[in-house]
Amino acid sequence: MLKIGPYEFSSRLLLGTGKYPNFDVQKEAVEVSQTEILTFSVRRMNIFEPSQPNFLENIDVQKYKLLPNTAGAKTAEEAVRTAKLARASGLCDMIKVEVIGCQKTLLPDPVETLKASEELIKEGFIVLPYTSDDVLLAKRLEELGCHAIMPGASPIGSGQGIINPLNLSFIIEQSNVPVIVDAGIGTPSDATVAMELGADGVLLNTAVSGAEDPVKMAKGMKLAIEAGRLGYEAGRIPKKRYATASSPMEGMSIS
Amino acid sequence: MELIINGDKVEVPNKITTVSSLLQHFGINQKVVIVELNQSILEKGSHQETTISDRDKIEIVNFVGGG
């Protein structure tokens, strides 16, 4: 079970809802993934086109926990406002703190992320900050009272996979709250590696929505995350320099 | 009455006096929308009793796809 704040989930996949080819494919991908947490963004509505479809209307919101993000925020103040707007919907109290510090790399601003997280914890949110893979920053966020830590594997939407497994493993080792690897995942094997490192979950979006067949990729990611978790729980064999025979030497008929 | 909605000047009939009647006017009262009135975020349950007046600054936001 994945426990975030007061909530428990049997799926360890958190799925983003951006950039799918259409709502039908998205709906099927979400279902196949068996995710229980969906991320969203908060944006100004086009009030002159009220008939514009919205994915939220296509899903059973009771079935999923909504994890709105503060994407678009460049300062702690903007992130806090977005979080409060999201909560005023009456649909959610979890928030993915995302304060981007650089438009080219979309890497998070550590100082503003820390400030926003602190404020939102005071405001009673369930706070999941998207952070760089800095080990000490992760520690500081946990000390503030964040309910999960979400280090990036590599830049958002880059599909580069896990660039610094060592840092991720340090973060996982030190954390007493769930660590969810967020951003940069490209393939199912990336997700498996994250889970084998001991991550409690994986948050991804583009890897599924941008795949040639998002539905198939959603299934691949689900299985990959389960496989990685099982591998982690089972405990891998140590690596050895030389071979060790799997078949016994005793009782061989030819000598 | 003139309102500033999502940064744009918008003219609405004077009979619109509350946030919920404004949402109804735009046909979005059944949708998941969040309203901020003069920089103060309104709880979902308060749309009916919150009154609006000329020159109010209103933000109407919703959830969109994102990661």
Side-chain angles (χ1 to χ4, degrees):
Chain A
M1 287 297 244
L2 169 61
K3 285 186 191 174
I4 304 173
Y7 305 121
E8 289 189 2
F9 306 96
S10 32
S11 164
R12 293 177 181 273
L13 169 60
L14 292 77
L15 193 61
T17 58
K19 299 194 292 186
Y20 286 79
N22 59 60
F23 285 146
D24 290 336
V25 167
Q26 179 168 17
K27 196 175 181 191
E28 207 184 331
V30 167
E31 274 166 16
V32 161
S33 77
Q34 291 187 3
T35 184
E36 294 165 288
I37 305 175
L38 292 172
T39 64
F40 286 91
S41 300
V42 179
R43 289 290 178 272
R44 276 177 168 171
M45 189 179 194
N46 186 349
I47 51 167
F48 301 108
E49 275 186 60
S51 55
Q52 243 183 8
N54 188 307
F55 182 63
L56 211 53
E57 290 159 12
N58 279 1
I59 57 158
D60 179 2
V61 288
Q62 303 305 318
K63 237 174 98 182
Y64 302 97
K65 275 265 169 276
L66 303 189
L67 176 60
N69 63 34
T70 64
K74 291 178 188 157
T75 64
E77 200 185 341
E78 288 168 3
V80 169
R81 173 176 174 259
T82 305
K84 287 180 176 173
L85 281 167
R87 188 166 68 175
S89 69
L91 294 174
C92 47
D93 63 355
M94 294 206 295
I95 189 75
K96 168 177 163 176
V97 177
E98 180 175 343
V99 189
I100 298 303
C102 166
Q103 285 314 303
K104 195 171 176 183
T105 59
L106 296 182
L107 289 170
D109 183 320
V111 179
E112 296 299 312
T113 301
L114 209 62
K115 268 200 258 177
S117 297
E118 186 170 24
E119 181 63 27
L120 290 168
I121 288 161
K122 275 191 214 149
E123 294 278 347
F125 284 84
I126 308 299
V127 179
L128 297 80
Y130 161 61
T131 168
S132 62
D133 58 17
D134 187 276
V135 181
L136 275 304
L137 179 60
K139 186 86 208 150
R140 294 284 296 271
L141 286 164
E142 183 181 339
E143 283 166 1
L144 281 181
C146 288
H147 300 83
I149 309 295
M150 304 209 293
S154 51
I156 294 173
S158 73
Q160 292 190 48
I162 297 168
I163 284 179
N164 195 339
L166 185 68
N167 267 26
L168 278 186
S169 70
F170 287 154
I171 292 173
I172 289 162
E173 220 176 277
Q174 76 181 1
S175 292
N176 300 303
V177 293
V179 175
I180 293 158
V181 173
D182 178 5
I185 298 293
T187 66
S189 60
D190 295 336
T192 303
V193 170
M195 296 307 292
E196 284 178 356
L197 284 172
D200 297 279
V202 169
L203 194 165
L204 52 88
N205 184 346
T206 313
V208 166
S209 66
E212 278 182 36
D213 185 340
V215 176
K216 209 168 255 188
M217 190 57 89
K219 176 127 197 226
M221 289 299 183
K222 169 195 134 61
L223 294 172
I225 288 167
E226 286 173 6
R229 181 67 190 181
L230 285 172
Y232 170 73
E233 286 177 1
R236 62 152 299 155
I237 58 161
K239 285 185 185 177
K240 283 174 240 152
R241 187 165 165 78
Y242 293 105
T244 319
S246 327
S247 312
M249 298 303 286
E250 296 83 25
M252 285 174 72
S253 56
I254 307 156
S255 56
Chain B
M1 170 168 63
E2 188 184 273
L3 302 171
I4 315 281
I5 303 179
N6 291 350
D8 293 324
K9 284 182 185 169
V10 180
E11 195 63 39
V12 299
N14 282 333
K15 63 172 184 183
I16 293 170
T17 53
T18 64
V19 169
S20 55
S21 60
L22 180 73
L23 297 180
Q24 212 155 3
H25 173 72
F26 288 109
I28 51 175
N29 49 315
Q30 297 297 323
K31 298 194 168 238
V32 176
V33 296
I34 307 119
V35 181
E36 192 184 60
L37 174 62
N38 299 325
Q39 299 186 343
S40 139
I41 297 167
L42 303 179
E43 289 307 316
K44 200 183 160 201
S46 67
H47 292 175
Q48 201 112 36
E49 72 249 27
T50 307
T51 56
I52 50 175
S53 43
D54 198 38
R55 305 262 160 183
D56 273 348
K57 280 177 82 179
I58 297 170
E59 289 284 324
I60 302 177
V61 303
N62 63 352
F63 288 121
V64 300

